[in-house]
Short mmCIF file of all heavy atoms in Angstrom, two decimals:
data_model
loop_
_atom_site.label_atom_id
_atom_site.label_comp_id
_atom_site.label_asym_id
_atom_site.label_seq_id
_atom_site.Cartn_x
_atom_site.Cartn_y
_atom_site.Cartn_z
N GLY G 610 -14.39 -33.32 -8.77
CA GLY G 610 -13.17 -34.09 -8.99
C GLY G 610 -12.11 -33.90 -7.94
O GLY G 610 -11.01 -34.46 -8.05
N ALA G 611 -12.40 -33.09 -6.88
CA ALA G 611 -11.39 -32.80 -5.88
C ALA G 611 -11.22 -33.90 -4.85
O ALA G 611 -10.16 -34.04 -4.23
CB ALA G 611 -11.73 -31.49 -5.17
N LYS G 612 -12.25 -34.70 -4.65
CA LYS G 612 -12.21 -35.72 -3.61
C LYS G 612 -11.10 -36.74 -3.87
O LYS G 612 -11.01 -37.30 -4.96
CB LYS G 612 -13.56 -36.43 -3.50
CG LYS G 612 -13.65 -37.40 -2.33
CD LYS G 612 -15.03 -38.01 -2.22
CE LYS G 612 -15.12 -38.96 -1.04
NZ LYS G 612 -16.47 -39.58 -0.91
N GLY G 613 -10.27 -36.93 -2.86
CA GLY G 613 -9.19 -37.90 -2.99
C GLY G 613 -7.93 -37.35 -3.62
O GLY G 613 -6.94 -38.09 -3.74
N TYR G 614 -7.94 -36.08 -3.99
CA TYR G 614 -6.77 -35.46 -4.61
C TYR G 614 -6.25 -34.33 -3.73
O TYR G 614 -7.03 -33.63 -3.07
CB TYR G 614 -7.12 -34.91 -6.00
CG TYR G 614 -7.38 -35.98 -7.03
CD1 TYR G 614 -8.66 -36.53 -7.18
CD2 TYR G 614 -6.35 -36.46 -7.84
CE1 TYR G 614 -8.92 -37.51 -8.11
CE2 TYR G 614 -6.60 -37.45 -8.78
CZ TYR G 614 -7.88 -37.97 -8.92
OH TYR G 614 -8.12 -38.96 -9.83
N THR G 615 -4.93 -34.14 -3.72
CA THR G 615 -4.34 -33.03 -2.99
C THR G 615 -4.66 -31.71 -3.66
O THR G 615 -4.94 -30.71 -3.00
CB THR G 615 -2.82 -33.20 -2.88
OG1 THR G 615 -2.53 -34.48 -2.31
CG2 THR G 615 -2.20 -32.11 -2.02
N TRP G 616 -4.61 -31.70 -5.00
CA TRP G 616 -4.99 -30.53 -5.78
C TRP G 616 -6.06 -30.93 -6.78
O TRP G 616 -5.90 -31.91 -7.52
CB TRP G 616 -3.78 -29.96 -6.53
CG TRP G 616 -2.75 -29.38 -5.61
CD1 TRP G 616 -2.72 -28.14 -5.06
CD2 TRP G 616 -1.59 -30.06 -5.11
NE1 TRP G 616 -1.63 -27.98 -4.25
CE2 TRP G 616 -0.90 -29.14 -4.27
CE3 TRP G 616 -1.04 -31.33 -5.30
CZ2 TRP G 616 0.28 -29.47 -3.61
CZ3 TRP G 616 0.13 -31.67 -4.64
CH2 TRP G 616 0.78 -30.75 -3.80
N ALA G 617 -7.14 -30.18 -6.81
CA ALA G 617 -8.20 -30.48 -7.78
C ALA G 617 -7.70 -30.30 -9.20
O ALA G 617 -8.13 -31.02 -10.11
CB ALA G 617 -9.40 -29.57 -7.53
N ALA G 618 -6.78 -29.36 -9.37
CA ALA G 618 -6.24 -29.10 -10.71
C ALA G 618 -4.93 -28.34 -10.58
O ALA G 618 -4.56 -27.89 -9.50
CB ALA G 618 -7.24 -28.29 -11.54
N ALA G 619 -4.25 -28.21 -11.70
CA ALA G 619 -3.06 -27.37 -11.81
C ALA G 619 -3.26 -26.43 -12.97
O ALA G 619 -3.94 -26.75 -13.95
CB ALA G 619 -1.82 -28.23 -12.01
N ALA G 620 -2.68 -25.23 -12.85
CA ALA G 620 -2.73 -24.25 -13.93
C ALA G 620 -1.44 -23.46 -13.91
O ALA G 620 -0.83 -23.27 -12.85
CB ALA G 620 -3.92 -23.31 -13.78
N VAL G 621 -1.00 -23.01 -15.08
CA VAL G 621 0.23 -22.23 -15.16
C VAL G 621 -0.03 -20.81 -14.66
O VAL G 621 -0.99 -20.16 -15.09
CB VAL G 621 0.77 -22.21 -16.60
CG1 VAL G 621 1.97 -21.27 -16.70
CG2 VAL G 621 1.17 -23.61 -17.03
N THR G 622 0.80 -20.33 -13.76
CA THR G 622 0.79 -19.05 -13.07
C THR G 622 -0.28 -19.02 -11.98
O THR G 622 -1.37 -19.60 -12.12
CB THR G 622 0.57 -17.82 -14.00
OG1 THR G 622 -0.80 -17.69 -14.31
CG2 THR G 622 1.42 -17.91 -15.25
N ALA G 623 0.04 -18.34 -10.91
CA ALA G 623 -0.92 -18.17 -9.83
C ALA G 623 -2.11 -17.35 -10.28
O ALA G 623 -3.23 -17.54 -9.81
CB ALA G 623 -0.24 -17.52 -8.64
N ASN G 624 -1.89 -16.44 -11.21
CA ASN G 624 -2.98 -15.62 -11.70
C ASN G 624 -3.91 -16.41 -12.60
O ASN G 624 -5.08 -16.05 -12.77
CB ASN G 624 -2.43 -14.40 -12.43
CG ASN G 624 -1.79 -13.42 -11.47
OD1 ASN G 624 -2.47 -12.76 -10.71
ND2 ASN G 624 -0.47 -13.35 -11.48
N GLY G 625 -3.39 -17.49 -13.19
CA GLY G 625 -4.26 -18.41 -13.91
C GLY G 625 -5.04 -19.30 -12.97
O GLY G 625 -6.19 -19.66 -13.23
N ALA G 626 -4.41 -19.67 -11.86
CA ALA G 626 -5.04 -20.58 -10.92
C ALA G 626 -6.00 -19.88 -9.97
O ALA G 626 -6.96 -20.50 -9.48
CB ALA G 626 -3.96 -21.31 -10.12
N ALA G 627 -5.76 -18.60 -9.67
CA ALA G 627 -6.53 -17.89 -8.64
C ALA G 627 -8.04 -17.90 -8.88
O ALA G 627 -8.80 -18.27 -7.97
CB ALA G 627 -6.02 -16.47 -8.50
N PRO G 628 -8.54 -17.50 -10.06
CA PRO G 628 -10.00 -17.50 -10.23
C PRO G 628 -10.61 -18.89 -10.13
O PRO G 628 -11.73 -19.04 -9.65
CB PRO G 628 -10.19 -16.89 -11.63
CG PRO G 628 -8.88 -17.04 -12.31
CD PRO G 628 -7.85 -16.96 -11.25
N LEU G 629 -9.86 -19.90 -10.57
CA LEU G 629 -10.36 -21.27 -10.46
C LEU G 629 -10.48 -21.67 -8.99
O LEU G 629 -11.47 -22.30 -8.59
CB LEU G 629 -9.40 -22.23 -11.17
CG LEU G 629 -9.08 -21.94 -12.64
CD1 LEU G 629 -8.02 -22.90 -13.16
CD2 LEU G 629 -10.34 -22.02 -13.49
N GLN G 630 -9.49 -21.33 -8.19
CA GLN G 630 -9.49 -21.69 -6.78
C GLN G 630 -10.57 -20.95 -6.01
O GLN G 630 -11.27 -21.53 -5.18
CB GLN G 630 -8.11 -21.40 -6.18
CG GLN G 630 -7.98 -21.76 -4.72
CD GLN G 630 -6.53 -21.74 -4.25
OE1 GLN G 630 -5.71 -22.52 -4.72
NE2 GLN G 630 -6.22 -20.84 -3.33
N ILE G 631 -10.71 -19.65 -6.27
CA ILE G 631 -11.72 -18.87 -5.56
C ILE G 631 -13.12 -19.33 -5.93
O ILE G 631 -13.99 -19.49 -5.06
CB ILE G 631 -11.55 -17.37 -5.88
CG1 ILE G 631 -10.21 -16.86 -5.36
CG2 ILE G 631 -12.69 -16.56 -5.26
CD1 ILE G 631 -9.87 -15.46 -5.81
#
Side-chain angles (χ1 to χ4, degrees):
K612 186 176 181 180
Y614 290 87
T615 305
W616 293 276
V621 174
T622 79
N624 290 289
L629 305 174
Q630 181 167 296
I631 296 171

